[in-house]
Amino acid sequence: MNLREKENQFLLHTYKRLPIEVDHADGVYVYGKDGKKYLDFFGGIAVNALGYNNSRVKAAIVNQANRYLHMSNTFYMDVQIELAETLCKLSGYPKMFLTNSGTEAVEAAIKISRKWGKKHGKANLFALTNSFHGRTMGSLSLTDREKYRQDFDPFLPSVDHIAFNNLNDLKTKVDAATAAVFIEFIQGEGGINVVSSEFIEELYNLKKKYNFLVVADEIQSGIYRTGKLFAFEHFGVRPDIVTVAKPIGGGLPLGGILVDSSAEDVLGYGTHGTTFGGNPLSCAAGLATLAELTEKKFDEHVTKIGGYLKRNLIEFKESHPDFVAEVRGIGLMLGVECRKECGETVSALLTNGVIANCTSGNVIRLLPPLVVEKEHVDIFMSRLSETVSEATKISVK
Ligand SMILES: *Cc1c(COP(=O)(O)O)cnc(C)c1O
C-alpha cells in the first residue's frame, strides 16, 4: 500500500488532504517526496509564523528535551512560567492559563465567563454569525459555521449568535443577562471578515451599560499576524479575555488565555486544569518564537510586507474585475473574495507550486509565514496571475 491508501485505510476520513506527500520543509517552502517545491502561503494554518526549520526554535526544543519533556502541572517549571511572563509583559495582561490547543483555550474562556456570570447573575454567551471558535462541544456551540455544526446538536444552552457587524442585532440581543461576547476581530475560517469599528464601539457602549466580558479570539489573528501583537489593538479596545494558540508554540501544540484583572480571580485552585497544557517542550519552542518575533521587530516587517501584498492584490483585483470581488484583511491575514467558488483556483495554484487555502466557498485565504519577503510576494502574484489566466483560457474554450 502506498501512503495515500494507508491514510485512507487507517485514519478516520476527517481531512481532505492536499495531494502532497511531504518530504521536508524549509523557510517558506514545502518539498514533496516527488522533488516538487511549493511556496507556502498558508503557513500550517497560521501556525508556522517563523516558517519551517527555524534553527533557534529547534535549538530550544533540543535543549529542553535534554532537561525534561513532561513533568505535570504539579511542579514549578521555569520555561512555562517564563512563557507566561513574556506574554503577560508583551500584552499588558496580568495573568494567563495555558492549554494545548485553541479549542481548549476557548473552553477555558467559556468556563470563566459562566462562573463570572454566576456571581453577577447572568449566563448568556454570544458569538458572531460566521464565526469559528473550535470544534469541542463548548467551542462548537459558539462556532457558527453550519458545515461544522450539522448533526452535532444539542449544543450548550444559553448560547446565541449576533449577526456579524449588525448593530441592531447587537443592541437587540445583548442585555443585563449577557455574561460574555466572544469575537474574532478578523474572522479567519469565516472568510477574512474584519469587524467594523462601529460594531466594536457599540459593543463597548453596551458593555459599559450592562457589564459583561468581552472575549477576543486571537487564535488565528494574534501574535503579530496583523502587524500588532493582537488584532484588537487596531480597534483601540482591551478585551477581558484573549485566547491564543496556533503560532504560540512555534509549531508544537500550545494555547492559552490572557485574563484581565476583571476576571483573573474567577478560577480558583482545582476549578480548572489540564494534564498536558503548558507542556515544557511547547513552552520552550514558544519562548524562542516570541524572542525571535520581538527581537527582529516582526510587527514592522508584517505591516510592511502585508501592505505590499495587499497593494498587489488590489491591483490584481483592478486588472481582474471579473474574477475578484473584494480584497480584505490586515497585515498577513488577507482574503481575496472571488466572484465564484475558489476550490479549483486553489488546486490549480497548487499545481503551479503555491499553497493557498479556499475558505467559506469563495475566499482565497492567505496566511503566509511572517518571514515572507518581497521576492516571495512577487512569485506568489505572478503564479496567481498565471493560474487565473490559464483558467480563463480553459473556460473560454
Ligand atoms: C483554529 C482556531 C480555533 C481552534 O483551534 P484548535 O487548535 O484547532 O483547537 C479557534 N478559534 C480560531 C479563531 C481559530 O482560527
Side-chain angles (χ1 to χ4, degrees), residues 210-227:
Y210 294 124
N211 186 30
F212 52 83
L213 301 177
V214 171
V215 182
D217 186 341
E218 294 275 357
I219 291 168
Q220 192 163 147
S221 55
I223 317 298
Y224 304 111
R225 169 68 42 197
T226 67

Side-chain angles (χ1 to χ4, degrees), residues 45 100-104 106 132-135 184 186 188-189 217-221 243 245-246 365:
I45 323 187
N100 306 287
S101 66
T103 201
E104 287 168 282
V106 173
F132 184 84
H133 295 290
R135 297 166 184 270
E184 293 164 272
I186 306 180
E189 187 75 23
D217 186 341
E218 294 275 357
I219 291 168
Q220 192 163 147
S221 55
T243 63
K246 292 199 163 92
R365 175 170 49 159

Side-chain angles (χ1 to χ4, degrees), residues 282-302:
S282 302
C283 287
L287 265 175
T289 303
L290 283 173
E292 191 82 350
L293 289 172
T294 50
E295 283 169 23
K296 297 192 175 159
K297 297 203 182 333
F298 269 85
D299 50 348
E300 290 169 15
H301 175 73
V302 170

